[in-house]
Structure formats: structure tokens, C-alpha cells
Amino acid sequence: MAWSTRQLADLAGTTIKTVRHYHQMGLLELPGRAPNGYKQYQTTHLVRLLQIKRLTELGLSLAQIRAMGSADEEPDEAIRVLDAELAGTIERLQRIRVELAVILKYRAPLDTPLPFGPVAEGLSERDRALLTVFSGVLKDSALDDLRQLMAEATEGEADEEFYYLPEDADDATIETIARHLAESIQRSQARFPWMADPGSAATRGPRFAEAAIASAFAELFNAAQLKVLARAQALAGEAS
């Protein structure tokens, strides 16, 4: 018994377009033709089409199926590759569920890096942007230290003054805020020595991390704030 392309597609629960695509990829052999020129598909074509459908349902790509050769060969390597890919997908989905749980628990904005979910309340867009850069270039242990400092922090007058410092602030104001900030930097570096050398906590090399962090500060803070930070770092370095 022979079938037309439409009949074959209907029997296999697929479409004519799919059958033609499989022909183009070399997955399904072309059938013989009747005297009138119409294709005549046989049982072997139906079996192959159903085998391809089964393998795609298992997650194999068409390229993998083609590389396997005939369906009666033992596809051990393809199965191992597929299993590894599925394991990676499951791990990724489980990680995403953990992150979503943190976001829901602390009602953190969706773009908040996972380590900072518990302290996300009240963070400005600028704060989240800076933390996003940190999370991209620093080790998890360093991010945990930053989160701990943020959880313990109580905003003081100097913090407020720095946060809202205008770009045209005078030198005296910059010096006063820098001295207060230097004391906080010294305490933090005493607890977490890597903060004196952020490159030492980098995930992809110190120069990459330092360049990314420096660029973020340059874009997110105004000229007066950058002067405060530079002066505070210098004062903290002199004290140590």
C-alpha cells in the first residue's frame, strides 16, 4: 500500500511541511513515484517518520538525529549528550526557582542580583545598577560580605550628604564628607581585607573587575561624589 505526502503526514500526526523539511535535511528518504508523478510512501517511510517524531519528543535536535544515522543503531553518545543537557536544564530551572523564591520573599525588584535580595528594600535604581556590576565581577564570598555590611548599615548624616551631594559642592564640604566616609571604609576593610584590593576578589581577573567597577562609579556618581570617594580612599589608605 502506498500513501501520498498528505496521507503520510496525517498518519504520523505531523504536517506536509515537516515531511518536506525532513527530506531536505536528509532525515527521510525520498519515495518512489507512481506513473502519474505522485510520491508513493511506504511503511518504511512511516516507520522512519514516527521514529524521528519519537526522538524529537525525547529532546534530540534534528542535527543530532541525522548524526546518529539509522534509527536501529545504538545512540549511546547522543543519549549521554542529551542526558547531560537535560541535567543542566534542570539545574538551571532549580536555580531560577530559588531566585524567584528570594524575590517573592523580600519583594525585591526582578532585576536585583540574587545575593542582594534580602537587602533590596529601599534601594535606588543606581544602587541596584552598582550591585549588578559587583555581582558580575566579584566572587560570591565578596558579595556575601557586601550584603552583610548593607544589612548592618544604618544611614547617618554623612551618608545622606554623600547621596545627595550636588555636583558643584565646594572643597570644604567634600573634605568633611570624605573624612566621615573614610572611617567607614577603614572599618569595612578591617573586617573584609579584600575591600582594600577589590581585584583580589575578582572572578575573571583583577583588571577586568577594576575597570568595570571604575566605569560604573564614573557613570553613576557626579564629579563631587567621585572626589569624595577618591579622597576617602586616600585617607583610609593613609590610616592603614
Side-chain angles (χ1 to χ4, degrees):
M1 181 176 181
W3 300 294
S4 67
T5 306
R6 179 173 297 280
Q7 289 171 329
L8 179 74
D10 290 343
L11 286 168
T14 186
T15 65
I16 295 176
K17 184 177 179 180
T18 297
V19 173
R20 290 172 177 166
H21 182 56
Y22 290 168
H23 284 318
Q24 292 172 354
M25 290 195 66
L27 289 169
L28 184 65
E29 291 184 1
L30 287 168
R33 292 181 180 271
N36 59 7
Y38 288 109
K39 295 185 182 73
Q40 290 188 308
Y41 289 94
Q42 307 295 325
T43 301
T44 54
H45 297 100
L46 177 60
V47 170
R48 178 57 174 161
L49 190 54
L50 290 171
Q51 288 171 340
I52 295 170
K53 184 178 180 182
R54 166 63 176 161
L55 292 173
T56 57
E57 288 173 349
L58 287 174
L60 272 71
S61 68
L62 296 180
Q64 288 173 319
I65 296 172
R66 182 171 55 188
M68 286 168 53
S70 63
D72 59 351
E73 294 179 2
E74 290 295 332
D76 292 351
E77 183 59 28
I79 290 174
R80 280 191 287 268
V81 170
L82 176 60
D83 184 63
E85 291 176 353
L86 290 174
T89 299
I90 291 170
E91 182 180 354
R92 179 179 62 84
L93 293 175
Q94 289 175 333
R95 184 173 67 253
I96 291 173
R97 290 196 68 199
V98 169
E99 295 186 16
L100 291 176
V102 171
I103 289 171
L104 287 171
K105 180 177 180 180
Y106 296 103
R107 296 187 176 182
L110 197 58
D111 62 349
T112 304
L114 176 62
F116 302 104
V119 293
E121 185 178 0
L123 292 180
S124 67
E125 184 177 348
R126 178 174 64 183
D127 293 333
R128 293 201 306 275
L130 193 58
L131 293 177
T132 298
V133 172
F134 286 155
S135 68
V137 300
L138 298 179
K139 296 177 181 177
D140 289 343
S141 57
L143 301 179
D144 288 339
D145 295 339
L146 287 173
R147 183 185 64 242
Q148 185 175 340
L149 287 175
M150 292 174 64
E152 298 169 355
T154 54
E155 291 189 2
E157 184 178 342
D159 295 319
E160 286 288 317
E161 290 178 344
F162 172 76
Y163 196 88
Y164 295 107
L165 186 67
E167 189 165 6
D168 60 352
D170 58 53
D171 291 342
T173 301
I174 289 173
E175 182 69 17
T176 298
I177 298 175
R179 289 189 175 278
H180 286 125
L181 191 58
E183 296 174 2
S184 175
I185 291 173
Q186 290 169 22
R187 290 192 297 270
S188 298
Q189 291 178 351
R191 290 179 62 185
F192 308 115
W194 69 266
M195 289 187 172
D197 179 21
S200 64
T203 56
R204 288 181 283 174
R207 286 198 296 180
F208 179 85
E210 290 166 0
I213 292 172
S215 177
F217 273 98
E219 292 184 23
L220 295 172
F221 294 94
N222 65 40
Q225 291 169 321
L226 293 175
K227 288 180 181 179
V228 169
L229 291 171
R231 178 58 177 156
Q233 287 286 359
L235 291 170
E238 293 171 5
S240 60

